[in-house]
Amino acid sequence: AQKITQTQPGMFVQEKEAVTLDCTYDTSDPSYGLFWYKQPSSGEMIFLIYQGSYDQQNATEGRYSLNFQKARKSANLVISASQLGDSAMYFCAMREGDTGRRALTFGSGTRLQVQP
Amino acid sequence: DAGVIQSPRHEVTEMGQEVTLRCKPISGHDYLFWYRQTMMRGLELLIYFNNNVPIDDSGMPEDRFSAKMPNASFSTLKIQPSEPRDSAVYFCASSGTYGYTFGSGTRLTVV
């Protein structure tokens, strides 16, 4: 079974609008961490935001926020006020266990294109 | 902090040749990961180390692949002999108390 599922291979959004990228996960471990990374066309993996399974509030980092719905096992990334530079691949990833010391499992990614 | 440093950035080699990819993790990080990214399989874990000791190498595709971490500041991923299907971007990442930092990747092309 897929541990991380990203069902949107591609998304379009108009500049300055908000966009939500979907991510669902599957784990039986009560302690886990969820990550989002951005991969622009240059290829590097850029960390965006992190949500721990015990965190009571949704994580936010500037224009990025994570809509964490634990019962639904979803961790959607919300980008507000999209910019042309947000065009990239976005990956959701999960670390299982509470030590932060295990490997990340990645979803298949969503390609976001921001249109002027 | 220079981040995770990988070399070379690009490698083109002929089928059958040995290829060595290199990684310098962030100082103080005690975990090091090797990932491979392809269009077909996405990002997949190959192997990871804790304190220079391999913990999980179940993702290593076959015996042609080997990885070492002789000290806390250096790791190698070797493919011998290389095949066209090994063409991919190989990422190294390191992790300390918080978070995971990725290197810029090595784009390997085997012709």
Side-chain angles (χ1 to χ4, degrees), chain A residues 39-46, chain B residues 2-13 19-24 34-35 37 86-92 102-110:
Chain A
Q39 186 177 42
S41 58
S42 52
E44 68 267 32
M45 295 289 286
I46 302 168
Chain B
V4 176
I5 300 173
Q6 290 188 247
S7 64
R9 287 297 308 274
H10 303 273
E11 177 80 37
V12 180
T13 190
V19 176
T20 299
L21 311 182
R22 296 171 176 79
C23 175
K24 177 179 169 55
W34 282 100
Y35 285 87
Q37 184 177 30
D86 301 331
S87 297
V89 178
Y90 291 80
F91 285 102
C92 174
F102 283 75
S104 299
T106 294
R107 181 175 295 276
L108 173 65
T109 304
V110 183

Side-chain angles (χ1 to χ4, degrees), chain A residues 18-21 36 49 62-67 76-80:
Chain A
V19 62
T20 298
L21 307 184
W36 278 92
I49 197 167
R63 294 187 299 111
Y64 304 108
S65 60
L66 203 151
N67 183 0
N76 299 338
L77 176 69
V78 180
I79 305 174
S80 63

Side-chain angles (χ1 to χ4, degrees), chain A residues 35 37 39 43 45 91 95 100-104 106, chain B residues 30-31 33 35 37 43 45 48 91 95-96 100 102:
Chain A
F35 299 75
Y37 283 83
Q39 186 177 42
M45 295 289 286
F91 291 96
R95 176 218 71 221
R101 304 303 178 102
R102 301 185 190 185
L104 294 176
F106 285 86
Chain B
D30 53 354
Y31 278 75
F33 308 85
Y35 285 87
Q37 184 177 30
L43 276 153
L45 176 72
Y48 78 93
F91 285 102
S95 174
Y100 299 75
F102 283 75

Side-chain angles (χ1 to χ4, degrees), chain B residues 30-67:
Chain B
D30 53 354
Y31 278 75
L32 184 139
F33 308 85
W34 282 100
Y35 285 87
R36 179 171 69 176
Q37 184 177 30
T38 60
M39 288 294 292
M40 291 296 296
R41 300 175 68 89
L43 276 153
E44 50 181 347
L45 176 72
L46 298 177
I47 185 171
Y48 78 93
F49 297 83
N50 176 220
N51 291 324
N52 314 338
V53 177
I55 302 300
D56 182 355
D57 66 355
S58 60
M60 295 286 262
E62 48 198 274
D63 291 346
R64 297 185 297 106
F65 285 69
S66 62

